[in-house]
Amino acid sequence: MAVADRQGERITRRQVDKFEERRRELAGAALQTLSELGYARTSLREIAQNSSFSHGVLHYYFRDKVDLITYCVRQYKADCVRRYDRIVTDSDTAGDLRAGFTAGLAETLVEDAAVHRLWYDLRSQALFEESFRADVLEIDATLQDMIWRIVTRYAELSDARVSPSPAATYAMLDGLFQQQLLHHLAGDEEARTRLAHDAGTLLALAVPEGG
């Protein structure tokens, strides 16, 4: 490859990296507004009014609010996946994994409730708006894979095998999380404790002793 071609490739790569970095910065600033207002009540103009960025800047980096919202949720969920993958990596026993996983769920239920609410809002909208579906299905698949890694590692550490399918396992834990999120948003102070307990129970049911 000629020197000029290599230089051009480096410049292009830097431009792409800078563009992506700017998108992440804008998404981080917009996430709070999106989480508070939800999909239906939020526009790019409203997001701009609640941040230090102009409407024109947001529109330059994101096609529309669908593009922005899916980017925000995708970025947050990717962080979640990395967080739980670390729990899997750092756990030496089934008890450690169960404790780390259930504690992580309880913590994020409270600390990140608004973002999780936005995710469920987005997933519900995908039932009606085709523009959301591909992204929602892709994000959902990464979350299912994450849960499956946790459960299969728990089975390995327990010298057992997983009974339900990956989809069924994910559906049970996700349904439990969404249920307790609603209770938490309604002011139920026991929601996080109940989530940790019930998630541990589901984990044990998915990986029965002697299975």
Side-chain angles (χ1 to χ4, degrees):
M1 181 183 294
V3 173
D5 291 338
R6 287 198 298 270
Q7 289 176 336
E9 182 179 335
R10 285 196 295 271
I11 291 172
T12 301
R13 189 160 50 245
R14 283 199 300 271
Q15 290 173 335
V16 170
D17 291 344
K18 187 174 181 180
F19 184 83
E20 185 61 21
E21 182 181 347
R22 186 62 163 165
R23 275 167 63 89
R24 284 196 296 270
E25 181 184 0
L26 290 168
L31 189 56
Q32 182 176 355
T33 299
L34 287 167
S35 300
E36 291 173 355
L37 298 180
Y39 166 77
R41 294 186 296 164
T42 307
S43 67
L44 285 183
R45 191 172 300 280
E46 287 169 322
I47 294 169
Q49 289 172 351
N50 286 278
S51 72
S52 59
F53 305 104
S54 69
H55 176 255
V57 168
L58 286 175
H59 217 297
Y60 176 78
Y61 285 95
F62 297 97
R63 294 187 307 274
D64 49 33
K65 77 170 183 177
V66 172
D67 187 24
L68 175 57
I69 290 172
T70 53
Y71 185 93
C72 287
V73 172
R74 186 188 298 276
Q75 181 172 278
Y76 174 76
K77 292 300 182 182
D79 290 340
C80 286
V81 169
R82 286 190 290 270
R83 187 185 315 152
Y84 287 108
D85 280 348
R86 284 195 296 272
I87 293 173
V88 171
T89 302
D90 295 342
S91 298
D92 296 321
T93 68
D96 289 342
L97 180 53
R98 180 173 173 171
F101 174 56
T102 56
L105 283 178
E107 180 181 1
T108 192
L109 178 77
V110 175
E111 298 299 326
D112 304 315
V115 185
H116 294 303
R117 179 175 59 184
L118 177 62
W119 160 240
Y120 287 117
D121 185 12
L122 184 65
R123 199 163 71 174
S124 296
Q125 291 295 329
L127 295 173
F128 301 94
E129 297 198 29
E130 187 176 354
S131 58
F132 280 128
R133 288 176 193 160
D135 289 305
V136 166
L137 287 171
E138 184 179 343
I139 295 169
D140 222 30
T142 64
L143 297 176
Q144 178 177 300
D145 290 344
M146 175 195 77
I147 293 297
W148 191 241
R149 287 193 295 275
I150 291 168
V151 174
T152 53
R153 178 57 177 161
Y154 182 76
E156 180 184 339
L157 292 170
S158 302
D159 194 23
R161 65 181 180 86
V162 186
S163 293
S165 67
T169 303
Y170 172 58
M172 287 188 291
L173 283 166
D174 180 68
L176 175 62
F177 188 90
Q178 185 176 13
Q179 179 190 57
Q180 295 309 321
L181 175 64
L182 178 58
H183 281 279
H184 169 69
L185 293 172
D188 185 348
E189 296 181 358
E190 298 300 318
R192 66 181 298 164
T193 302
R194 196 160 50 244
L195 173 62
H197 175 270
D198 290 349
T201 300
L202 279 181
L203 196 57
L205 290 173
V207 186
E209 293 183 8

